[in-house]
Amino acid sequence: MAVTQSVQPKDASTTRIMITISVMLATIMQALDTTIANVALPHMRGAMGTTQDQISWVLTSYIVAAAICMPLTGVLAAKIGRKRLFMWSIVGFTVSSILCGAAQSLDQIVFFRLLQGVFGASLVPLSQSVLLDTYPKEKHGSAMAMWGVGVMVGPILGPYLGGLLTEYYSWRWVFYINVPFGIIAWLGLAGFLDESKLDKKRRFDLYGFVLLGVAIGSLQMMLDRGESQSWFDSLEVTIEGLLALVCGYMFLVHIFTHDQPFIEPKMFRDRNFSIGMVFIFIVGIILLSSMALLPPFMSSLMGYPVVDIGAILAPRGFGTMAAMIIVGRFANKVDARYFITLGLVLITFSMWEMTLFTTEVTAWDIIRTGMVQGMGLGFIFVPLSTISFATLDPKYRNEGTAMFSLLRNIGSSIGISVVTTYLAQRTQINHAAFADYITPFSVPLQMAQEQGSYNITTTAGLAAMNAVVNGQAATLAYLQDFRLMMWVTIAALPLVLLLKGSAKKAKS
């Protein structure tokens, strides 16, 4: 009997470790692909002879397919089993990654990226659900810390890794790199993860899924295509916006009136879960928005090459990992709300510092503010992931984690669209404001002409002056975007007051 007691914990511990490693690899594999292909787009465009608008479908197809299929996670896991769904998703994602790397035309790579999005949609929600069920409730904070490393650090390190692979090997390797991750993750899950209980009685609400799928797909298309198509001046974007609005409204009416809806509205009665959905949406806005702004700021205004940009931005991921390690260590001792508040304060401070940037800012200043911002995100994401599911009925976990990931992705899409549109608008407004000061009566301009720096009487001189005004207008627009993100972060602070205590306190 004594021998049995000594062996059992070891076996359980080994199983838990192997499941964690496998789940982490699957999470990192999917999270990397949200950003790793971005850097390779110019090389793909050159290899396939396409326009900028055409090659952007490599990103759009993946984002839209993943967004539409993510809500399917819960019902598919109930119908065919969570382990089976997880393993088939890994196989499909890995194979479609190989096909993306081997694609010879734009049509092929767009189709294979669509498949990649379909199979990858379930990986992150299933990873979170598996870890929550694998670890006891008192260790959920540590489990979410490990899971959060893959979810948060993957998109941050993606551009750096993509830049290295594209620069020194080929753009095809940004897809081939998924193969070893996929094989090891599949073997680990096959050997150590138990199958979940099936729910054969659960009906598939096709009408609800179609409404939600069209709403999400149209919204993602509108956000992705809006900037390049001049937003609602375009008939395409207007139709997509109307579809998203109408189908989204019909879906809400449907789930509250159908006896077996596609998404069970009862899970939103849990206050922590509902507030967590709003919070993770805001985190999604912050997570990728600054990452969408800094690379072009450093490239177009400061003249950094792609590889150097990746190296300077990568430490932000180390800040996130450091915060997650701290949270995982003290998750059961400190109320999650304190960590979330600290994270929001750190992000606000880093965004404020970024509003003071100039084109003369040093690489260390960018690294330092990035690490502070990364730590802020780490302090928010792990306790938020824990507290959102602390009081939610376990039977809603698969659907809940899918919605959690979906809201984060939609937040990221909206955030990127907002900051890029705001950047373009503010650049034009700033240019017009600065141009008002360029007059023959301007004393600084007269001094510059006397010194031979500019000559506004010639076409070349006017072009040089316009380039300077453009640069200054764009610089100020980036700073205004950083200020906008700072106010978004500050606006999220009152939500902390609506959360109940941490998992430990909520239980008592």
Side-chain angles (χ1 to χ4, degrees):
M1 186 69 180
V3 174
T4 305
Q5 288 177 341
S6 63
V7 172
Q8 184 65 28
K10 183 179 179 181
D11 291 341
S13 176
T14 302
T15 299
R16 191 177 293 162
I17 291 171
M18 294 306 298
I19 289 175
T20 302
I21 292 173
S22 303
V23 162
M24 282 291 296
L25 288 173
T27 302
I28 291 171
M29 178 174 67
Q30 195 277 342
L32 272 175
D33 262 64
T34 58
T35 56
I36 195 172
N38 297 26
V39 206
L41 285 184
H43 297 265
M44 295 182 199
R45 179 183 172 188
M48 297 184 179
T50 62
T51 65
Q52 179 66 39
D53 189 54
Q54 290 172 328
I55 203 66
S56 67
W57 282 100
V58 173
L59 302 179
T60 304
S61 58
Y62 178 84
I63 293 170
V64 173
I68 292 174
C69 294
M70 197 172 288
L72 277 172
T73 303
V75 67
L76 288 178
K79 284 288 187 180
I80 66 175
R82 185 169 60 187
K83 176 179 179 178
R84 191 175 289 110
L85 175 61
F86 210 157
M87 293 177 65
W88 275 111
S89 296
I90 291 174
V91 170
F93 191 86
T94 306
V95 171
S96 56
S97 296
I98 296 172
L99 294 173
C100 285
Q104 300 299 315
S105 68
L106 178 66
D107 292 341
Q108 288 179 6
I109 194 169
V110 167
F111 177 71
F112 296 143
R113 279 284 280 177
L114 189 144
L115 288 180
Q116 203 180 30
V118 169
F119 286 107
S122 299
L123 292 180
V124 171
L126 287 176
S127 299
Q128 186 179 16
S129 176
V130 165
L131 284 182
L132 286 171
D133 286 344
T134 301
Y135 285 80
K137 195 167 187 178
E138 63 271 15
K139 293 186 177 180
H140 277 183
S142 301
M144 289 300 95
M146 290 181 285
W147 174 75
V149 168
V151 173
M152 301 290 281
V153 176
I156 294 171
L157 295 182
Y160 178 53
L161 185 58
L164 287 177
L165 291 172
T166 305
E167 185 76 18
Y168 296 110
Y169 295 97
S170 163
W171 64 265
R172 299 183 185 276
W173 279 96
V174 303
F175 299 111
Y176 291 149
I177 196 175
N178 290 328
V179 177
F181 287 101
I183 292 173
I184 298 172
W186 189 91
L187 290 173
L189 293 176
F192 294 94
L193 182 63
D194 293 329
E195 185 58 275
S196 61
K197 292 182 180 179
L198 301 183
D199 185 4
K200 296 291 187 180
K201 296 181 180 179
R202 179 166 179 174
R203 291 168 53 194
F204 176 56
D205 179 17
L206 178 61
Y207 182 62
F209 169 66
V210 170
L211 287 176
L212 182 61
V214 173
I216 293 174
S218 301
L219 177 63
Q220 289 284 5
M221 286 285 290
M222 182 189 78
L223 295 172
D224 193 67
R225 303 270 295 163
E227 178 61 27
S228 63
Q229 303 298 314
S230 301
W231 289 102
F232 296 107
D233 290 338
S234 163
L235 179 61
E236 173 198 336
V237 176
T238 303
I239 292 173
E240 289 161 356
L242 287 174
L243 275 175
L245 185 64
V246 172
C247 291
Y249 172 76
M250 291 175 66
F251 174 75
L252 289 176
V253 172
H254 176 74
I255 64 171
F256 285 108
T257 55
H258 197 270
D259 55 343
Q260 288 187 322
F262 180 67
I263 298 294
E264 180 55 67
K266 290 180 181 177
M267 65 181 176
F268 294 102
R269 293 177 182 173
D270 186 290
R271 189 171 80 184
N272 272 10
F273 179 73
S274 296
I275 300 301
M277 293 299 100
V278 179
F279 241 124
I280 198 61
F281 175 79
I282 296 173
V283 169
I285 293 175
I286 301 167
L287 174 62
L288 292 184
S289 295
S290 58
M291 290 299 292
L293 291 171
L294 280 172
F297 176 80
M298 296 169 66
S299 175
S300 60
L301 298 177
M302 299 180 69
Y304 279 98
V306 173
V307 176
D308 288 352
I309 291 173
I312 292 172
L313 296 182
R316 171 172 155 154
F318 300 139
T320 302
M321 284 191 284
M324 288 180 173
I325 291 170
I326 295 171
V327 173
R329 176 69 178 82
F330 295 100
N332 292 327
K333 300 177 182 178
V334 179
D335 193 316
R337 293 174 295 184
Y338 296 148
F339 280 128
I340 295 173
T341 303
L342 174 61
L344 290 170
V345 170
L346 288 174
I347 293 174
T348 301
F349 177 72
S350 68
M351 288 293 184
W352 173 76
E353 283 201 302
M354 290 168 71
T355 62
L356 306 177
F357 277 4
T358 68
T359 52
E360 304 299 321
V361 71
T362 65
W364 168 244
D365 289 325
I366 299 175
I367 291 172
R368 178 175 52 80
T369 54
M371 289 185 69
V372 172
Q373 192 175 123
M375 289 190 71
L377 287 166
F379 279 125
I380 293 173
F381 193 78
V382 174
L384 181 60
S385 302
T386 305
I387 203 171
S388 296
F389 294 92
T391 54
L392 185 67
D393 192 322
K395 69 180 180 180
Y396 295 130
R397 245 172 216 164
N398 290 328
E399 288 94 341
T401 52
M403 295 302 296
F404 195 75
S405 297
L406 178 64
L407 264 292
R408 188 187 74 250
N409 290 350
I410 292 177
S412 296
S413 297
I414 291 176
I416 291 172
S417 296
V418 168
V419 295
T420 52
T421 302
Y422 191 65
L423 178 67
Q425 291 177 348
R426 293 309 308 180
T427 300
Q428 293 177 354
I429 294 171
N430 295 339
H431 185 282
F434 291 161
D436 288 341
Y437 293 94
I438 310 298
T439 69
F441 309 103
S442 171
V443 175
L445 180 58
Q446 290 173 1
M447 293 174 62
Q449 290 189 94
E450 290 173 1
Q451 295 169 1
S453 301
Y454 297 101
N455 184 1
I456 61 172
T457 61
T458 65
T459 304
L462 286 172
M465 177 61 68
N466 186 61
V468 172
V469 174
N470 270 335
Q472 293 302 311
T475 301
L476 180 57
Y478 278 106
L479 305 188
Q480 290 165 333
D481 245 337
F482 295 143
R483 185 178 60 190
L484 174 64
M485 289 297 100
M486 180 188 74
W487 285 114
V488 169
T489 308
I490 292 173
L493 271 168
L495 290 174
V496 178
L497 301 174
L498 299 178
L499 291 169
K500 295 180 182 178
S502 60
K504 185 177 179 181
K505 293 185 179 182
K507 185 178 178 181
S508 60

PDB file of all heavy atoms in Angstrom, residues 24-37:
ATOM      1  N   MET A  24       1.631  23.435 -24.448  1.00  0.00           N
ATOM      2  CA  MET A  24       2.407  24.652 -24.668  1.00  0.00           C
ATOM      3  C   MET A  24       2.939  24.723 -26.105  1.00  0.00           C
ATOM      4  O   MET A  24       2.919  25.777 -26.737  1.00  0.00           O
ATOM      5  CB  MET A  24       3.584  24.698 -23.694  1.00  0.00           C
ATOM      6  CG  MET A  24       3.195  25.122 -22.294  1.00  0.00           C
ATOM      7  SD  MET A  24       2.711  26.862 -22.240  1.00  0.00           S
ATOM      8  CE  MET A  24       4.253  27.639 -22.703  1.00  0.00           C
ATOM      9  N   LEU A  25       3.426  23.599 -26.617  1.00  0.00           N
ATOM     10  CA  LEU A  25       3.941  23.575 -27.994  1.00  0.00           C
ATOM     11  C   LEU A  25       2.837  23.893 -29.000  1.00  0.00           C
ATOM     12  O   LEU A  25       3.050  24.640 -29.954  1.00  0.00           O
ATOM     13  CB  LEU A  25       4.558  22.206 -28.300  1.00  0.00           C
ATOM     14  CG  LEU A  25       5.895  21.898 -27.611  1.00  0.00           C
ATOM     15  CD1 LEU A  25       6.300  20.452 -27.857  1.00  0.00           C
ATOM     16  CD2 LEU A  25       6.981  22.842 -28.124  1.00  0.00           C
ATOM     17  N   ALA A  26       1.649  23.317 -28.770  1.00  0.00           N
ATOM     18  CA  ALA A  26       0.521  23.600 -29.666  1.00  0.00           C
ATOM     19  C   ALA A  26       0.123  25.067 -29.596  1.00  0.00           C
ATOM     20  O   ALA A  26      -0.173  25.698 -30.618  1.00  0.00           O
ATOM     21  CB  ALA A  26      -0.669  22.708 -29.301  1.00  0.00           C
ATOM     22  N   THR A  27       0.125  25.632 -28.381  1.00  0.00           N
ATOM     23  CA  THR A  27      -0.234  27.044 -28.205  1.00  0.00           C
ATOM     24  C   THR A  27       0.769  27.958 -28.887  1.00  0.00           C
ATOM     25  O   THR A  27       0.393  28.898 -29.604  1.00  0.00           O
ATOM     26  CB  THR A  27      -0.297  27.384 -26.699  1.00  0.00           C
ATOM     27  OG1 THR A  27      -1.244  26.530 -26.068  1.00  0.00           O
ATOM     28  CG2 THR A  27      -0.718  28.828 -26.496  1.00  0.00           C
ATOM     29  N   ILE A  28       2.066  27.697 -28.660  1.00  0.00           N
ATOM     30  CA  ILE A  28       3.114  28.528 -29.264  1.00  0.00           C
ATOM     31  C   ILE A  28       3.054  28.439 -30.781  1.00  0.00           C
ATOM     32  O   ILE A  28       3.204  29.446 -31.482  1.00  0.00           O
ATOM     33  CB  ILE A  28       4.498  28.093 -28.742  1.00  0.00           C
ATOM     34  CG1 ILE A  28       4.628  28.453 -27.257  1.00  0.00           C
ATOM     35  CG2 ILE A  28       5.619  28.752 -29.539  1.00  0.00           C
ATOM     36  CD1 ILE A  28       5.862  27.892 -26.592  1.00  0.00           C
ATOM     37  N   MET A  29       2.823  27.231 -31.303  1.00  0.00           N
ATOM     38  CA  MET A  29       2.758  27.032 -32.746  1.00  0.00           C
ATOM     39  C   MET A  29       1.662  27.896 -33.370  1.00  0.00           C
ATOM     40  O   MET A  29       1.882  28.581 -34.376  1.00  0.00           O
ATOM     41  CB  MET A  29       2.499  25.545 -33.043  1.00  0.00           C
ATOM     42  CG  MET A  29       2.362  25.199 -34.518  1.00  0.00           C
ATOM     43  SD  MET A  29       2.219  23.408 -34.787  1.00  0.00           S
ATOM     44  CE  MET A  29       0.615  23.071 -34.040  1.00  0.00           C
ATOM     45  N   GLN A  30       0.477  27.890 -32.750  1.00  0.00           N
ATOM     46  CA  GLN A  30      -0.621  28.675 -33.298  1.00  0.00           C
ATOM     47  C   GLN A  30      -0.406  30.171 -33.071  1.00  0.00           C
ATOM     48  O   GLN A  30      -0.653  30.990 -33.958  1.00  0.00           O
ATOM     49  CB  GLN A  30      -1.940  28.226 -32.652  1.00  0.00           C
ATOM     50  CG  GLN A  30      -3.192  28.700 -33.370  1.00  0.00           C
ATOM     51  CD  GLN A  30      -3.605  30.116 -32.995  1.00  0.00           C
ATOM     52  OE1 GLN A  30      -3.181  30.643 -31.966  1.00  0.00           O
ATOM     53  NE2 GLN A  30      -4.437  30.730 -33.818  1.00  0.00           N
ATOM     54  N   ALA A  31       0.094  30.543 -31.870  1.00  0.00           N
ATOM     55  CA  ALA A  31       0.272  31.961 -31.557  1.00  0.00           C
ATOM     56  C   ALA A  31       1.337  32.601 -32.440  1.00  0.00           C
ATOM     57  O   ALA A  31       1.204  33.759 -32.847  1.00  0.00           O
ATOM     58  CB  ALA A  31       0.632  32.125 -30.075  1.00  0.00           C
ATOM     59  N   LEU A  32       2.392  31.860 -32.745  1.00  0.00           N
ATOM     60  CA  LEU A  32       3.442  32.381 -33.625  1.00  0.00           C
ATOM     61  C   LEU A  32       2.893  32.736 -35.002  1.00  0.00           C
ATOM     62  O   LEU A  32       3.272  33.744 -35.597  1.00  0.00           O
ATOM     63  CB  LEU A  32       4.567  31.354 -33.776  1.00  0.00           C
ATOM     64  CG  LEU A  32       5.702  31.362 -32.752  1.00  0.00           C
ATOM     65  CD1 LEU A  32       6.637  30.191 -33.019  1.00  0.00           C
ATOM     66  CD2 LEU A  32       6.476  32.662 -32.791  1.00  0.00           C
ATOM     67  N   ASP A  33       1.983  31.893 -35.494  1.00  0.00           N
ATOM     68  CA  ASP A  33       1.497  32.083 -36.857  1.00  0.00           C
ATOM     69  C   ASP A  33       0.596  33.295 -37.020  1.00  0.00           C
ATOM     70  O   ASP A  33       0.275  33.663 -38.148  1.00  0.00           O
ATOM     71  CB  ASP A  33       0.766  30.819 -37.340  1.00  0.00           C
ATOM     72  CG  ASP A  33       1.665  29.944 -38.183  1.00  0.00           C
ATOM     73  OD1 ASP A  33       2.666  29.445 -37.650  1.00  0.00           O
ATOM     74  OD2 ASP A  33       1.401  29.779 -39.385  1.00  0.00           O
ATOM     75  N   THR A  34       0.174  33.912 -35.912  1.00  0.00           N
ATOM     76  CA  THR A  34      -0.639  35.123 -36.041  1.00  0.00           C
ATOM     77  C   THR A  34       0.193  36.301 -36.527  1.00  0.00           C
ATOM     78  O   THR A  34      -0.346  37.250 -37.090  1.00  0.00           O
ATOM     79  CB  THR A  34      -1.292  35.491 -34.695  1.00  0.00           C
ATOM     80  OG1 THR A  34      -0.275  35.689 -33.704  1.00  0.00           O
ATOM     81  CG2 THR A  34      -2.224  34.383 -34.224  1.00  0.00           C
ATOM     82  N   THR A  35       1.522  36.261 -36.304  1.00  0.00           N
ATOM     83  CA  THR A  35       2.364  37.404 -36.693  1.00  0.00           C
ATOM     84  C   THR A  35       3.599  37.033 -37.494  1.00  0.00           C
ATOM     85  O   THR A  35       4.181  37.897 -38.150  1.00  0.00           O
ATOM     86  CB  THR A  35       2.836  38.170 -35.435  1.00  0.00           C
ATOM     87  OG1 THR A  35       3.524  37.255 -34.559  1.00  0.00           O
ATOM     88  CG2 THR A  35       1.674  38.788 -34.692  1.00  0.00           C
ATOM     89  N   ILE A  36       4.013  35.768 -37.455  1.00  0.00           N
ATOM     90  CA  ILE A  36       5.302  35.413 -38.055  1.00  0.00           C
ATOM     91  C   ILE A  36       5.317  35.607 -39.572  1.00  0.00           C
ATOM     92  O   ILE A  36       6.351  35.929 -40.164  1.00  0.00           O
ATOM     93  CB  ILE A  36       5.686  33.945 -37.698  1.00  0.00           C
ATOM     94  CG1 ILE A  36       7.164  33.691 -38.003  1.00  0.00           C
ATOM     95  CG2 ILE A  36       4.789  32.954 -38.422  1.00  0.00           C
ATOM     96  CD1 ILE A  36       7.649  32.349 -37.503  1.00  0.00           C
ATOM     97  N   ALA A  37       4.148  35.438 -40.205  1.00  0.00           N
ATOM     98  CA  ALA A  37       4.093  35.553 -41.670  1.00  0.00           C
ATOM     99  C   ALA A  37       4.098  37.010 -42.145  1.00  0.00           C
ATOM    100  O   ALA A  37       4.389  37.271 -43.323  1.00  0.00           O
ATOM    101  CB  ALA A  37       2.850  34.842 -42.210  1.00  0.00           C
TER     102      ALA A  37
END
